[in-house]
Amino acid sequence: MKETWWKEGVVYQIYPRSFNDSNNDGIGDIPGIIEKVDYIKSLGVDIIWLCPVYKSPNDDNGYDISDYRNIMDEFGTLADWELLLKTLHENNIRLIMDLVVNHSSDEHYWFTEASKSKDNKYRDYYIWREGKDGNPPNNWGSVFSGPAWEYNEATGDYYLHIFSKKQPDLNWENQNLRNEVFDLMKFWLDKGIDGFRMDVINFIAKAPGLPDDEETSYGKYGNAIKFLVTQPKLHDYLQEMNREVLSKYDIMTVGECGHITPDDGYLLTGEDRNELNMIFQFDHMFIDMDLKGSRYNHKGWSLSEFKHIFYNWHKGLFGRAWGSVFLGNHDFARSISRFGNDKEFHNKSGKLLAAFLLSMPGTAFIYQGDEIGMTNCRFNSISEHRDIEVLNYMKEALAEGKNEQELLEATYSRNRDNARTPMQWDSSVNGGFTNGDPWLKVNPNFKSINVLDSENDPDSILNFYRKMISIRKNNKTLIYGDMEMPEIDREDICIIERFSDTDRYVIILNFIDTEINTDFVKYLSEEAELLISNYPESEENKLRPYEAMVYKC
Ligand code: ISL
Ligand code: CA
């Protein structure tokens, strides 16, 4: 495998609205990020992925863009952004920006123009269809509840919106639209950014004819996603983008591509394919959700299933394409609350997840706050929520007769606001995030879980992350090596072997909250060296709750 910076770098994801508020208006901003560059650098990460900071009416917190070439007022100015880029580069940290081009905001001038008349110059930038007897053109449901179509009075047609009705889908069949996208990408690349994370990029090509879904399992609507994710035209568009834009720069690209198989993953990222560098796959993130319905429909998950997902993706891509690894982002519950134990074993399980994440193949992504073990948050009323996805869902469910308490309970462990509560910097008011009124509540546990206390505690999750990041960077087999997972069907331990022609590593993790008697020593060589662990001394033939050890063999 060819060695490159974007394979070796560890990425830190920033959700700017919740990171650090510099002017006390309750909203995180770009000057706030600049204030924290020393902290980011101290983690040892190499790359920042910055979630959208462009002009937006914020129906979906910046994932609805009304001007692709400017910065949202709440976040600062283009000059602030330039200073951020400069400061990061001076600190040898690269910056990748979010590219949201499956849809724009309905307040983007392309859409305000397009919705005026059928012969408008921008009409074909979006996807318009006639209704069927007063109903939408097909039965697709929106990811954010309700139908995926909205009626436009002025022209008597419906437009497609896979997400909110304020996020009309762009029509990638239109060459002018594609050129506009390529131009705006060059606008940012020419400013010196280091790449893009591409929002739902595998949704841009829609199935020809936009057929109805035969099983209306997705609420009362059809599931549109299967008509979006693996369309052949997707590859034409990405190869064109690569030819016109990506290939001209030394950058990194990561496509958000849920609902696909490793073989499709290869088509998107294969070294011989000239499309993307890597994708995010979501099989492990959807592991406890019954996607036939809403994300709030729970389904049990098992550790063996979890391991098989990572193993299959590794074997599917290894040697021919590059992957990524992450355990949380701004769209899911907190990783420690899902895969660890955010109570009794908060410290141990937070470290175990760090050891898992940073010893897996693929470029590793850390979501802000996970490095201090930030947890899910209880929202005590609907009015405490801000996320459009959970709010739309609740509105629909209330209309169907469900009550508030029941909905808060049902969405508790799945809703996106869990991951978006403000970053907990210290134990002062609002966790040091703002002196104003935070846009989303601060998790009340900030007094015990925060950066400052973690800095002062050598045994903190934060300091474990730092050490683990440096171990990964100094042991290239953890990046480029092959992987086996012995005893993969066990539901308690996770054993990861990473190996190359030169060396071998064994990572031993107890994923449960009780002690296990097991002969893990058999996986180690005589001279095995313990690089890091989350208990003071290892005990032979026994793993304590959430025990994690990384050995060089
Ligand atoms: O497909 C899904 C559920 O079945 C979703 O998980 C989907 O992949 C996800 O919501 C896409 O997320 C991205 O695009 C959204 C935005 O709200 C998210 O924050 C972003 O990460 C629309 O732009
Ligand atoms: Ca602010």
Side-chain angles (χ1 to χ4, degrees):
M1 281 252 113
K2 216 175 112 217
E3 301 195 353
T4 341
W5 61 268
W6 47 261
K7 295 181 180 170
E8 292 171 21
V10 174
V11 187
Y12 187 71
Q13 182 194 348
I14 294 184
Y15 194 70
R17 209 173 185 76
S18 305
F19 194 60
N20 185 34
D21 177 17
S22 71
N23 62 350
N24 297 317
D25 65 353
I27 300 173
D29 46 53
I30 292 172
I33 302 172
I34 298 174
E35 287 174 9
K36 299 293 184 187
V37 169
D38 285 346
Y39 169 72
I40 296 165
K41 192 175 166 64
S42 79
L43 299 173
V45 299
D46 310 276
I47 302 161
I48 299 286
W49 154 24
L50 185 61
C51 285
V53 291
Y54 316 98
K55 281 235 186 306
S56 164
N58 281 307
D59 191 51
D60 184 21
N61 288 354
Y63 281 94
D64 48 321
I65 298 171
S66 53
D67 180 354
Y68 285 98
R69 288 181 165 80
N70 220 326
I71 302 294
M72 179 188 312
D73 291 335
E74 291 107 303
F75 288 174
T77 62
L78 199 52
D80 293 327
W81 179 87
E82 305 261 9
L83 181 61
L84 172 65
L85 180 66
K86 184 165 164 275
T87 313
L88 290 173
H89 281 174
E90 280 166 4
N91 284 281
N92 292 320
I93 299 169
R94 303 195 203 227
L95 177 65
I96 67 171
M97 298 279 281
D98 225 301
L99 180 74
V100 189
V101 289
N102 173 68
H103 44 267
S104 72
S105 163
D106 66 338
E107 297 183 32
H108 194 290
Y109 78 88
W110 297 337
F111 189 79
T112 53
E113 283 298 310
S115 52
K116 281 182 188 160
S117 69
K118 292 189 179 176
D119 56 8
N120 190 281
K121 177 175 165 210
Y122 296 102
R123 181 71 172 179
D124 197 39
Y125 277 28
Y126 295 89
I127 300 170
W128 302 93
R129 292 289 183 278
E130 280 176 10
K132 275 196 214 150
D133 312 320
N135 292 312
N138 72 17
N139 71 352
W140 293 0
S142 152
V143 171
F144 294 161
S145 303
W149 296 93
E150 183 72 9
Y151 185 64
N152 170 243
E153 285 287 340
T155 61
D157 279 350
Y158 289 78
Y159 65 86
L160 179 69
H161 62 89
I162 296 300
F163 294 91
S164 126
K165 63 182 176 203
K166 287 184 66 62
Q167 292 168 299
D169 281 56
L170 289 163
N171 177 19
W172 275 72
E173 288 184 12
N174 183 299
Q175 181 71 58
N176 293 338
L177 179 271
R178 297 204 299 278
N179 292 344
E180 299 255 21
V181 170
F182 301 156
D183 282 352
L184 74 89
M185 293 174 74
K186 287 185 220 154
F187 172 83
W188 293 101
L189 290 166
D190 291 338
K191 288 188 179 296
I193 67 165
D194 303 289
F196 289 110
R197 173 269 185 187
M198 302 184 183
D199 193 63
V200 283
I201 199 70
N202 64 329
F203 287 18
I204 60 176
K206 307 344 187 196
L210 312 181
D212 274 324
D213 180 19
E214 279 168 18
E215 17 159 6
T216 51
S217 51
Y218 202 64
K220 54 183 179 242
Y221 300 100
N223 183 350
I225 291 176
K226 61 184 180 209
F227 300 102
L228 308 177
V229 288
T230 47
Q231 296 301 315
K233 280 248 176 106
L234 170 64
H235 302 293
D236 300 342
Y237 299 151
L238 290 176
Q239 282 168 16
E240 184 184 36
M241 178 194 284
N242 190 296
R243 208 165 50 238
E244 298 298 322
V245 186
L246 306 176
S247 60
K248 300 185 169 37
Y249 301 84
D250 173 24
I251 52 168
M252 137 174 189
T253 53
V254 48
E256 188 198 23
C257 296
H259 313 274
I260 65 168
T261 63
D263 283 339
D264 291 323
Y266 158 72
L267 293 177
L268 290 156
T269 56
E271 303 221 320
D272 54 344
R273 297 271 311 160
N274 299 318
E275 297 191 17
L276 302 175
N277 293 149
M278 69 189 90
I279 58 163
F280 293 132
Q281 64 82 17
F282 285 81
D283 294 350
H284 62 299
M285 299 308 281
F286 296 146
I287 195 168
D288 55 0
M289 298 174 185
D290 173 8
L291 291 175
K292 292 197 164 179
S294 86
R295 66 152 61 209
Y296 309 108
N297 288 4
H298 297 208
K299 148 169 138 13
W301 69 281
S302 66
L303 182 66
S304 60
E305 200 187 336
F306 184 81
K307 289 184 281 183
H308 275 288
I309 290 169
F310 287 97
Y311 186 69
N312 289 343
W313 273 92
H314 170 69
K315 290 297 178 195
L317 300 184
F318 188 67
R320 56 178 191 155
W322 192 250
S324 74
V325 58
F326 69 100
L327 293 174
N329 66 24
H330 62 293
D331 290 334
F332 291 87
R334 282 283 173 185
S335 59
I336 197 168
S337 304
R338 296 183 80 184
F339 306 125
N341 175 320
D342 62 9
K343 299 193 173 60
E344 193 185 348
F345 297 105
H346 180 262
N347 179 284
K348 299 288 182 217
S349 71
K351 292 173 179 172
L352 169 131
L353 294 176
F356 178 87
L357 176 73
L358 292 158
S359 55
M360 291 301 281
T363 300
F365 289 73
I366 300 169
Y367 180 58
Q368 75 180 37
D370 279 358
E371 77 279 18
I372 55 168
M374 280 179 63
T375 70
N376 281 354
C377 180
R378 283 278 172 190
F379 295 88
N380 298 315
S381 69
I382 295 180
S383 64
E384 286 188 340
H385 275 297
R386 295 289 176 273
D387 171 30
I388 181 170
E389 184 176 40
V390 76
L391 288 172
N392 281 1
Y393 173 79
M394 287 181 164
K395 206 163 139 198
E396 210 169 76
L398 284 174
E400 284 163 7
K402 298 243 166 58
N403 74 48
E404 180 169 7
Q405 272 322 308
E406 157 183 28
L407 287 172
L408 289 167
E409 198 47 48
T411 56
Y412 165 59
S413 63
R414 296 290 184 286
N415 78 78
R416 308 197 296 180
D417 281 333
N418 278 310
R420 299 176 178 186
T421 61
M423 183 73 185
Q424 296 164 204
W425 295 104
D426 57 39
S427 58
S428 72
V429 65
N430 296 323
F433 166 72
T434 182
N435 289 326
D437 199 6
W439 72 277
L440 173 68
K441 80 186 265 187
V442 178
N443 192 320
N445 65 18
F446 72 88
K447 293 221 161 82
S448 56
I449 301 174
N450 63 63
V451 171
L452 187 61
D453 288 354
S454 309
E455 294 281 6
N456 295 334
D457 173 10
D459 195 36
S460 64
I461 298 174
L462 175 64
N463 284 314
F464 190 96
Y465 263 92
R466 287 182 171 135
K467 195 167 168 201
M468 196 58 220
I469 290 169
S470 103
I471 289 172
R472 181 178 179 89
K473 298 217 312 221
N474 292 311
N475 295 279
K476 280 198 174 176
T477 296
L478 290 179
I479 296 164
Y480 294 109
D482 199 349
M483 175 171 79
E484 286 301 327
M485 287 182 145
E487 301 187 67
I488 194 166
D489 290 317
R490 281 186 68 153
E491 301 296 353
D492 48 4
I493 59 174
C494 172
I495 296 172
I496 302 165
E497 284 184 305
R498 300 296 310 277
F499 53 94
S500 66
D501 292 343
T502 49
D503 47 18
R504 180 170 158 267
Y505 296 79
V506 177
I507 298 92
I508 296 170
L509 309 167
N510 174 6
F511 260 88
I512 62 169
D513 58 8
T514 49
E515 207 167 272
I516 308 168
N517 291 317
T518 179
D519 173 24
F520 69 85
V521 181
K522 69 180 179 223
Y523 294 107
L524 308 176
S525 63
E526 286 279 308
E527 64 281 9
E529 178 198 351
L530 182 60
L531 300 181
I532 191 170
S533 67
N534 61 354
Y535 279 85
E537 258 163 42
S538 71
E539 288 184 23
E540 285 200 7
N541 297 324
K542 186 159 122 186
L543 290 173
R544 288 155 293 183
Y546 293 101
E547 184 155 8
M549 295 178 277
V550 178
Y551 282 95
K552 180 168 187 180
C553 291

